[in-house]
Amino acid sequence: MTHEIRRLLNQAMTDGVAPAASCAVVLDGEALPTVTASTAAPGTSFDLASVTKLFTTVTMLSLVGDGELELDAPVGTRLPAYAHGDKSTVTLRQLLTHTSGLPSEWRGWERSLAGGRAFDRRRLVDDLLGTPLESAPGTRFTYSCAGFNTAMALAEHVTDRPWAALVRDRVLSKLGTDGITGTPDPERCAPTENQAALGRGLVRGIVHDEAAWSLGGLSGNAGMFATAPGLAVFGESLRTGLPGILSPALAADMWRSQLPDMLGGHFNPADPGFGHGLGLRINQQPWMGAAGRDARGHGGFTGTSLLADREYGVTIALLTNRVSPSRVGDDATALRKAVSDVVYSGKNDSN
């Protein structure tokens, strides 16, 4: 299996999919040797992009478990910006399932740059919380980075603690790995995009996502960095119910398919075409593969993905920097699917 994964990664590098790649696979709790290609090593950290949303979800659910937040109460009871008007019924569960009615993106960072202003996090968060809804809460699924940054703002407001500290204390410190961080050593990071137009140059060791960058780094939607073996540790924790981090009931709720209940009569199985738990994609065929019907996980814009499958006992952490030096090109979906197919096939052959 590792030989075939190595072949796939090397071929993808030859084909120009990405400058570097790293893959860690765990089968029934046993970690296989990490496979790397091109300039990557097992200790290379990659910008996880939206895979970060899984860490955000677990952090928010930890706060729910401690009674500091509620999944189904209007967030406006705790967050003044959501206390009135059409936002007054938005819940944390809706934010974590992309059913809040918020748009996909918040562009406040762009307005700051256009106005020649330095990033002021407090002002930017206020701008974020002023983002109008595009639809009534609970009526449609719209993948929303803005929603996950709103969840972050809610957590900071309620706890009066910085987001990075909440994630560190509630999730990262309990995983038993130093391979996941919001503050990586740039020298150990794979570079991402050359954003000269934004005055950033070649981005390395700083979050690629512009919204998270403007908010100071690790945010609700992006900003986590990990090595493949480190991310696989988190994936195994997720697969086995997040012991020591969440209660069994909350871990089960995270894993459970949510959209039919969240959308009710508005639910359309063809849209978005995959299932969704709390933060978790379910059976996303284009990259999870035909055998991954019960798999959970998430992909990231930078070319990253994490897959966890309880039925098969499989965890796959596949990391690339496919946006380097430009985001124009292959999105690594085919590579992700090919690796998933190899792992599932090899698991079936060994049974």
Side-chain angles (χ1 to χ4, degrees):
M1 184 185 298
T2 55
H3 175 78
E4 183 61 15
I5 293 173
R6 182 173 290 107
R7 186 192 68 78
L8 289 172
L9 297 190
N10 286 335
Q11 187 60 54
M13 302 305 97
T14 299
D15 293 343
V17 173
S22 183
C23 182
V25 174
V26 184
L27 302 179
D28 296 324
E30 295 294 324
L32 302 185
T34 300
V35 179
T36 63
S38 189
T39 58
T44 301
S45 288
F46 290 78
D47 182 330
L48 297 185
S50 282
V51 177
T52 300
K53 291 180 173 68
L54 301 184
F55 295 90
T56 299
T57 301
V58 177
T59 302
M60 300 305 294
L61 291 179
S62 172
L63 290 168
V64 170
D66 284 352
E68 298 198 54
L69 292 172
E70 296 179 70
L71 269 170
D72 297 306
V75 299
T77 62
R78 312 299 297 278
L79 196 60
Y82 273 66
H84 307 287
D86 56 357
K87 293 182 179 179
S88 63
T89 63
V90 171
T91 66
L92 176 57
R93 191 184 297 272
Q94 288 172 337
L95 292 174
L96 298 180
T97 56
H98 304 286
T99 59
S100 69
L102 282 167
S104 175
E105 294 183 275
W106 160 74
R107 311 293 296 189
W109 65 271
E110 217 169 38
R111 291 188 288 274
S112 284
L113 285 182
R117 299 188 298 272
F119 291 142
D120 180 321
R121 192 176 189 275
R122 181 169 296 183
R123 181 178 296 171
L124 288 169
V125 169
D126 287 343
D127 186 275
L128 163 73
L129 294 177
T131 303
L133 301 185
E134 287 187 339
S135 58
T139 62
R140 75 176 190 184
F141 174 94
T142 300
Y143 181 72
S144 180
C145 290
F148 271 70
N149 280 332
T150 299
M152 173 192 70
L154 169 67
E156 290 186 329
H157 180 78
V158 168
T159 65
D160 196 30
R161 297 195 66 208
W163 177 246
L166 289 172
V167 179
R168 181 193 66 224
D169 294 347
R170 291 181 169 273
V171 184
L172 300 186
S173 66
K174 301 180 179 183
L175 289 175
T177 177
D178 62 359
I180 311 172
T181 181
T183 55
D185 176 359
E187 294 301 316
R188 299 182 63 185
C189 292
T192 55
E193 189 173 12
N194 188 336
Q195 294 191 329
L198 297 180
R200 303 182 73 188
L202 183 65
V203 179
R204 184 177 183 183
I206 301 171
V207 60
H208 171 262
D209 178 86
E210 295 89 353
W213 168 53
S214 75
L215 293 169
L218 178 61
S219 300
N221 74 310
M224 194 68 79
F225 287 73
T227 65
L231 184 59
V233 169
F234 175 70
E236 276 293 282
S237 179
L238 182 66
R239 186 182 68 82
T240 57
L242 294 157
I245 301 176
L246 295 183
S247 69
L250 280 172
D253 207 9
M254 182 178 177
W255 195 264
R256 178 176 65 86
S257 178
Q258 302 272 334
L259 294 185
D261 290 341
M262 295 305 298
L263 297 177
H266 299 280
F267 176 63
N268 176 1
D271 182 18
F274 51 84
H276 214 284
L278 296 176
L280 284 166
R281 300 287 178 89
I282 302 172
N283 186 27
Q284 195 168 16
Q285 284 290 302
W287 68 271
M288 290 180 173
R293 291 179 293 277
D294 292 312
R296 268 72 167 165
H298 214 291
F301 183 76
T302 50
T304 59
S305 59
L306 176 66
L307 180 153
D309 192 320
R310 291 179 178 173
E311 179 183 353
Y312 279 87
V314 164
T315 292
I316 308 170
L318 175 59
L319 306 180
T320 80
N321 58 339
R322 71 98 191 167
V323 296
S324 186
S326 168
R327 68 181 65 192
V328 178
D330 194 304
D331 67 359
T333 295
L335 172 62
R336 288 182 263 206
K337 181 181 183 299
V339 170
S340 295
D341 288 343
V342 163
V343 173
Y344 277 111
S345 177
K347 185 68 166 55
N348 284 330
D349 290 344
S350 66
N351 291 336

Short mmCIF file of all heavy atoms in Angstrom, two decimals, residues 108-109 111-120 123-124:
data_model
loop_
_atom_site.label_atom_id
_atom_site.label_comp_id
_atom_site.label_asym_id
_atom_site.label_seq_id
_atom_site.Cartn_x
_atom_site.Cartn_y
_atom_site.Cartn_z
N GLY A 108 -14.37 41.68 4.61
CA GLY A 108 -13.95 42.88 5.33
C GLY A 108 -12.47 43.17 5.21
O GLY A 108 -12.05 44.33 5.19
N TRP A 109 -11.66 42.11 5.14
CA TRP A 109 -10.22 42.30 4.99
C TRP A 109 -9.90 43.06 3.71
O TRP A 109 -8.97 43.88 3.67
CB TRP A 109 -9.50 40.95 4.99
CG TRP A 109 -9.85 40.07 3.83
CD1 TRP A 109 -10.87 39.18 3.75
CD2 TRP A 109 -9.20 40.05 2.56
NE1 TRP A 109 -10.90 38.58 2.51
CE2 TRP A 109 -9.88 39.09 1.76
CE3 TRP A 109 -8.09 40.72 2.02
CZ2 TRP A 109 -9.50 38.81 0.44
CZ3 TRP A 109 -7.71 40.43 0.71
CH2 TRP A 109 -8.41 39.49 -0.06
N ARG A 111 -11.79 45.27 2.19
CA ARG A 111 -12.15 46.68 2.36
C ARG A 111 -11.08 47.42 3.15
O ARG A 111 -10.79 48.59 2.86
CB ARG A 111 -13.51 46.79 3.04
CG ARG A 111 -14.66 46.30 2.15
CD ARG A 111 -16.01 46.59 2.77
NE ARG A 111 -16.30 45.74 3.92
CZ ARG A 111 -16.84 44.53 3.82
NH1 ARG A 111 -17.15 44.03 2.63
NH2 ARG A 111 -17.09 43.81 4.90
N SER A 112 -10.48 46.77 4.12
CA SER A 112 -9.40 47.40 4.88
C SER A 112 -8.21 47.69 3.99
O SER A 112 -7.63 48.79 4.02
CB SER A 112 -8.97 46.51 6.05
OG SER A 112 -9.89 46.56 7.10
N LEU A 113 -7.83 46.71 3.18
CA LEU A 113 -6.70 46.91 2.27
C LEU A 113 -6.99 48.02 1.27
O LEU A 113 -6.13 48.87 0.99
CB LEU A 113 -6.36 45.61 1.54
CG LEU A 113 -5.64 44.52 2.33
CD1 LEU A 113 -5.35 43.34 1.43
CD2 LEU A 113 -4.35 45.03 2.95
N ALA A 114 -8.20 48.00 0.71
CA ALA A 114 -8.55 49.01 -0.30
C ALA A 114 -8.53 50.41 0.30
O ALA A 114 -8.23 51.39 -0.39
CB ALA A 114 -9.93 48.70 -0.87
N GLY A 115 -8.84 50.51 1.60
CA GLY A 115 -8.84 51.82 2.25
C GLY A 115 -7.49 52.22 2.80
O GLY A 115 -7.37 53.28 3.42
N GLY A 116 -6.48 51.37 2.57
CA GLY A 116 -5.14 51.68 3.04
C GLY A 116 -4.99 51.60 4.55
O GLY A 116 -4.07 52.19 5.12
N ARG A 117 -5.87 50.85 5.20
CA ARG A 117 -5.84 50.75 6.66
C ARG A 117 -5.11 49.49 7.09
O ARG A 117 -5.23 48.43 6.46
CB ARG A 117 -7.26 50.73 7.24
CG ARG A 117 -8.07 51.97 6.93
CD ARG A 117 -9.39 51.95 7.70
NE ARG A 117 -10.22 50.81 7.34
CZ ARG A 117 -11.09 50.80 6.34
NH1 ARG A 117 -11.22 51.87 5.57
NH2 ARG A 117 -11.82 49.73 6.09
N ALA A 118 -4.38 49.60 8.19
CA ALA A 118 -3.78 48.41 8.80
C ALA A 118 -4.89 47.55 9.38
O ALA A 118 -5.96 48.05 9.75
CB ALA A 118 -2.80 48.82 9.89
N PHE A 119 -4.66 46.25 9.47
CA PHE A 119 -5.67 45.36 10.03
C PHE A 119 -5.85 45.65 11.52
O PHE A 119 -4.89 45.60 12.30
CB PHE A 119 -5.28 43.90 9.84
CG PHE A 119 -5.31 43.45 8.40
CD1 PHE A 119 -4.34 42.58 7.92
CD2 PHE A 119 -6.32 43.86 7.54
CE1 PHE A 119 -4.37 42.13 6.60
CE2 PHE A 119 -6.36 43.44 6.23
CZ PHE A 119 -5.39 42.57 5.76
N ASP A 120 -7.05 45.95 11.92
CA ASP A 120 -7.43 46.15 13.32
C ASP A 120 -8.41 45.04 13.65
O ASP A 120 -9.56 45.05 13.21
CB ASP A 120 -8.09 47.52 13.49
CG ASP A 120 -8.51 47.82 14.92
OD1 ASP A 120 -9.00 46.89 15.60
OD2 ASP A 120 -8.38 48.97 15.34
N ARG A 123 -11.93 45.83 15.02
CA ARG A 123 -12.78 46.46 14.01
C ARG A 123 -13.21 45.44 12.95
O ARG A 123 -14.35 45.44 12.49
CB ARG A 123 -12.04 47.62 13.36
CG ARG A 123 -12.85 48.36 12.30
CD ARG A 123 -12.04 49.53 11.73
NE ARG A 123 -11.76 50.53 12.76
CZ ARG A 123 -10.94 51.55 12.59
NH1 ARG A 123 -10.30 51.70 11.42
NH2 ARG A 123 -10.73 52.42 13.56
N LEU A 124 -12.29 44.55 12.58
CA LEU A 124 -12.61 43.54 11.59
C LEU A 124 -13.65 42.55 12.12
O LEU A 124 -14.55 42.13 11.38
CB LEU A 124 -11.35 42.80 11.16
CG LEU A 124 -10.37 43.59 10.28
CD1 LEU A 124 -9.05 42.85 10.15
CD2 LEU A 124 -10.97 43.87 8.91
#
